[in-house]
Amino acid sequence: MEKLISNGRDLQYVPESYILPLETRPGNVRVSLFESIPVIYFLGTDKPQLIKQITEAAREFGFFQLVNHGVPDNLMHDVVSVSKEFFEQPSEDKASLYSEDAKKSCRLYTSIDYVKE
């Protein structure tokens, strides 16, 4: 459980496992300034165009906002609410779900594998 950064509510430092080694850091990367992040409309966009938009946004920005996806607002609210409730529990209560076994269908885990991810 000590590997989970979500356990730290008032972190005073970044855990060592979250710090990239100097030789693998991106260095002096020039970052463009943008007015807004990419917004991708899901429903109504043909699949090849959708794949192209997602790929370009991920490559250029590293993230995007997906709208018109059909997930009801109340479901998204419930997911955020339940997630917040779960992660606010004491570490001892979450410990039973912590596992590094990828075959488990329900587990709490923080993946830090910079080479593969």
Side-chain angles (χ1 to χ4, degrees):
M1 288 298 292
E2 64 277 351
K3 293 181 181 180
L4 294 176
I5 197 165
S6 64
N7 283 330
R9 295 184 187 217
D10 295 318
L11 289 176
Q12 300 299 316
Y13 65 94
V14 176
E16 195 67 35
S17 62
Y18 286 83
I19 300 173
L20 283 171
L22 284 173
E23 64 275 5
T24 61
R25 291 182 190 172
N28 294 326
V29 176
R30 189 166 204 195
V31 179
S32 301
L33 297 177
F34 297 95
E35 293 293 318
S36 62
I37 65 170
V39 176
I40 298 173
Y41 295 86
F42 187 74
L43 296 176
T45 305
D46 66 74
K47 191 173 182 176
Q49 181 63 22
L50 184 62
I51 292 169
K52 180 182 178 192
Q53 290 175 357
I54 291 172
T55 302
E56 287 175 359
R59 183 179 294 128
E60 188 172 340
F61 293 87
F63 57 90
F64 52 88
Q65 180 181 9
L66 185 65
V67 297
N68 194 23
H69 43 64
V71 178
D73 287 344
N74 63 325
L75 177 58
M76 290 189 297
H77 174 75
D78 289 350
V79 168
V80 170
S81 179
V82 169
S83 298
K84 183 178 181 198
E85 181 181 332
F86 174 77
F87 284 104
E88 287 178 344
Q89 292 183 49
S91 297
E92 301 79 39
D93 294 348
K94 296 183 283 187
S96 65
L97 293 174
Y98 179 78
S99 174
E100 295 185 16
D101 181 0
K103 295 177 185 171
K104 282 190 153 189
S105 60
C106 181
R107 68 185 175 128
L108 177 62
Y109 176 66
T110 298
S111 172
I112 304 294
D113 189 345
Y114 302 113
V115 175
K116 292 181 183 176
E117 299 174 6

